[in-house]
Amino acid sequence: MDALHIAINGVAHDLKGVDARTTLLDLLRDRLHLTGSKKGCDHGQCGACTVLVNGRRINACLSLALTHEGDAIITIEGLAQGDTLHPLQAAFIEHDGFQCGYCTPGQICSAIGMLDEVRRGQPSHVSGDGEHVELDDAEIREGMSGNLCRCGAYVNIVAAIRDVARQAPES
Amino acid sequence: MNPFAYERASDAVRAIAAVAADPDAMFLGGGTNLVDHMRLGVAKPGRLIDVTRLPFDQVEGTPDGGVRIGANVRNSDLAAHPLIRARYPVLSQALLSGASGQLRNMATTAGNLLQRTRCVYFQNVDTPCNKRRPGSGCSAIGGYTRYHAILGASEHCIAVHPSDMAVAMVALDATVEVLGPSGERRMPLVDFHRLPGDAPERDTVLQHGELITAVMLPALPLAAHSLYRKVRDRRSFAFALVSVAAALQIRDGTIQDVRIACGGVAHKPWRATRAEETLRGNPATPEQFGRAADAELAAAQPQPGNAFKVKMLRNTLVAALQELAGVAG
């Protein structure tokens, strides 16, 4: 079994000859040349490889490509509409939410997934058992704890995410 | 990573037969631990049977007031499930205290139970380790032991089980449902994980080819008043130094019933039966909570590098019970 049908950023791919050892991250970067998703630790600890699979954020480095038969993947390359940036991309620029930029694609994909989790009412270690999750800075930091930034741009990353969350309040 | 064959299972019985017949085959769940181990060389399966598409993905209330959790339910979905949050808040809290948002979206219930220790010597293939290579010795003993056991360890292994979820489930009297080549069997989760003894390579009593299909939580009214308290080196995305899962029922100042399990301290989620015995029928006071912790910790045998855990677990257990009882220390 080495065939894989997978949609990446809305484009269907019909792949053959996928080595079972290939992770989703390596498939994206090495085979499809979508190098926006980054390989940091390659152990699921840094979050630089974060992508959205069927709308949920995961670590692409710990996920074998062949397990994604039929899945729809969104990477950093799939977020902008032409020249119009995704609100989180624009907010990261506005708030200077990076220095070297290596962790940024993972930060942004993770933030999209995290904001969706909050919209769906998912609780967190910080929010506890309350019905309503308030997206304050502590909640953002907890939700983003799977994404490391070695430059230490956390203050501005939190500001960018907070800004977008307030632009698009819970519906 | 060593080459291996990959198969996507669409039928549990056939998947079990395939693994049972091949000593080099393993089941693949969310992959968050196994894929990492394959990259590190800790695990070298020749064949992976992906069981994540098998239909064990529901959380269902049972007629008697319990909950049945499918083996493939993802950790994030389990933590957010209304039945879990209402009936067993300790389980939701334990799940949310573990890993990161990304990993919780990937990790399955069965995979969480079967994750292996994060002992650095186990994960580093260049160091002796009785769990990874039986008979090679234990590098942790006399080494870096901050994250190692203080209860139930042996001269062969002092590793701890890393799960938060399993600690809450053990406190909740959970049962594991297992399907194997010769049929189904069930066992209390507290008997599922092993102490290391002289065979630390075996984390659980599961036989090769057996597949976890579900975890059953019994009706447990006192669990509606429960919590998980975890102490770690940073506030998020870190394994426990010590943790406590507790449920408490008090009437007129007297403890009617209690459930306690501890994490980060043993080769398995540690059900604190001595502490529970010390509490039942006695007053819900900080002094009694302390006596209960002392009773449990009387058997503690810390390493030079983790003696602090004895007091840390005592304090954490007392604090958890005080919070549940609503009494000040």
Side-chain angles (χ1 to χ4, degrees):
Chain A
M1 184 195 294
D2 57 3
L4 180 64
H5 306 88
I6 190 169
I8 314 283
N9 299 326
V11 178
H13 293 267
D14 192 357
L15 303 171
K16 297 219 167 19
V18 179
D19 190 302
R21 291 170 290 184
T22 312
T23 61
L24 177 59
L25 179 62
D26 288 339
L27 184 88
L28 291 169
R29 291 180 55 84
D30 299 341
R31 175 130 178 190
L32 301 173
H33 308 297
L34 294 168
T35 53
S37 305
K38 295 292 187 274
K39 185 178 284 191
C41 69
D42 218 16
H43 292 289
Q45 297 172 358
C46 78
C49 66
T50 304
V51 299
L52 299 162
V53 176
N54 304 327
R56 293 159 61 113
R57 55 180 172 155
I58 69 156
N59 300 107
C61 75
L62 288 182
S63 202
L64 297 175
L66 289 176
T67 65
H68 290 289
E69 172 67 25
D71 284 346
I73 317 293
I74 301 290
T75 71
I76 190 73
E77 289 93 342
L79 296 181
Q81 305 284 329
D83 288 337
T84 306
L85 295 178
H86 185 282
L88 270 162
Q89 291 175 308
F92 267 65
I93 293 171
E94 170 71 22
H95 290 276
D96 205 12
F98 48 81
Q99 284 184 38
C100 81
Y102 196 81
C103 72
T104 312
Q107 296 276 3
I108 289 176
C109 286
S110 184
I112 291 171
M114 188 269 290
L115 291 175
D116 183 57
E117 289 159 17
V118 171
R119 269 192 292 276
R120 287 188 281 119
Q122 286 203 3
S124 83
H125 176 63
V126 167
S127 63
D129 294 327
E131 288 297 309
H132 179 78
V133 178
E134 187 191 346
L135 201 65
D136 57 15
D137 286 5
E139 183 72 35
I140 292 171
R141 287 176 183 276
E142 166 62 23
M144 295 296 293
S145 70
N147 292 84
L148 304 187
C149 170
R150 293 304 290 150
C151 302
Y154 293 111
V155 172
N156 296 349
I157 291 170
V158 171
I161 295 171
R162 187 202 307 129
D163 204 16
V164 171
R166 287 182 184 163
Q167 287 166 25
E170 294 172 50
S171 54
Chain B
M1 207 182 288
N2 282 9
F4 61 90
Y6 170 85
E7 295 163 44
R8 193 176 303 113
S10 55
D11 177 88
V13 172
R14 268 187 296 205
I16 289 161
V19 171
D22 182 352
D24 286 334
M26 291 179 79
F27 296 115
L28 174 68
T32 59
N33 197 211
L34 179 55
V35 171
D36 197 30
H37 280 174
M38 290 164 67
R39 189 174 283 135
L40 291 167
V42 173
K44 297 175 184 171
R47 189 176 179 192
L48 280 188
I49 310 287
D50 177 0
V51 292
T52 57
R53 310 254 174 151
L54 294 177
F56 307 135
D57 57 352
Q58 298 295 310
V59 178
E60 299 162 308
T62 57
D64 66 351
V67 169
R68 187 173 191 277
I69 302 162
N72 283 336
V73 174
R74 308 286 168 162
N75 286 179
S76 51
D77 295 327
L78 185 58
H81 197 282
L83 279 178
I84 301 300
R85 293 173 70 181
R87 296 183 187 176
Y88 314 99
V90 62
L91 177 54
S92 180
Q93 291 173 22
L95 284 157
L96 293 170
S97 77
S100 66
Q102 292 96 315
L103 291 168
R104 290 191 295 270
N105 279 340
M106 303 172 75
T108 65
T109 303
N112 189 315
L113 292 178
L114 292 172
Q115 66 175 309
R116 309 206 67 190
T117 185
R118 297 318 196 276
C119 173
V120 293
Y121 305 104
F122 172 72
Q123 296 195 115
N124 178 358
V125 295
D126 296 327
T127 56
C129 169
N130 287 323
K131 184 180 281 298
R132 181 168 28 75
R133 196 149 38 92
S136 62
C138 174
S139 302
I141 295 172
Y144 181 73
T145 55
R146 183 172 178 79
Y147 293 96
H148 289 75
I150 58 171
L151 289 162
S154 75
E155 61 185 312
H156 304 286
C157 180
I158 59 171
V160 299
H161 195 265
S163 173
D164 294 296
M165 181 196 80
V167 176
M169 286 178 169
V170 161
L172 294 170
D173 298 328
T175 303
V176 188
E177 295 185 8
V178 171
L179 196 58
S182 51
E184 192 179 71
R185 64 176 178 134
R186 298 161 187 235
M187 70 201 84
L189 180 59
V190 71
D191 298 329
F192 179 79
H193 295 97
R194 296 178 66 257
L195 289 178
D198 59 2
E201 70 276 14
R202 292 181 55 214
D203 293 352
T204 73
V205 299
L206 213 57
Q207 300 293 318
H208 184 73
E210 285 189 313
L211 179 70
I212 298 172
T213 55
V215 173
M216 277 291 310
L217 300 179
L220 199 65
L222 82 153
H225 192 54
S226 62
L227 62 75
Y228 191 71
R229 190 178 270 243
K230 177 173 176 177
V231 181
R232 43 186 163 173
D233 278 328
R234 58 173 186 246
R235 191 175 293 185
S236 186
F237 200 10
F239 288 95
L241 288 164
V242 304
S243 70
V244 170
L248 189 62
Q249 184 181 21
I250 299 169
R251 191 176 302 150
D252 300 330
T254 299
I255 297 163
Q256 303 291 309
D257 204 359
V258 61
R259 298 286 187 285
I260 303 169
C262 306
V265 291
H267 196 258
K268 59 187 287 185
W270 189 264
R271 181 70 180 258
T273 49
R274 286 180 188 81
E276 291 180 7
E277 285 161 14
T278 308
L279 293 168
R280 283 195 188 93
N282 281 308
T285 61
E287 295 72 26
Q288 192 65 26
F289 298 155
R291 279 193 283 275
D294 290 337
E296 195 62 48
L297 285 161
Q301 289 187 305
Q303 303 294 317
N306 68 10
F308 70 92
K309 278 191 174 187
V310 177
K311 190 169 184 184
M312 182 179 273
L313 180 59
R314 185 188 195 279
N315 291 345
T316 306
L317 180 49
V318 170
L321 293 171
Q322 283 184 205
E323 187 176 337
L324 284 172
V327 298

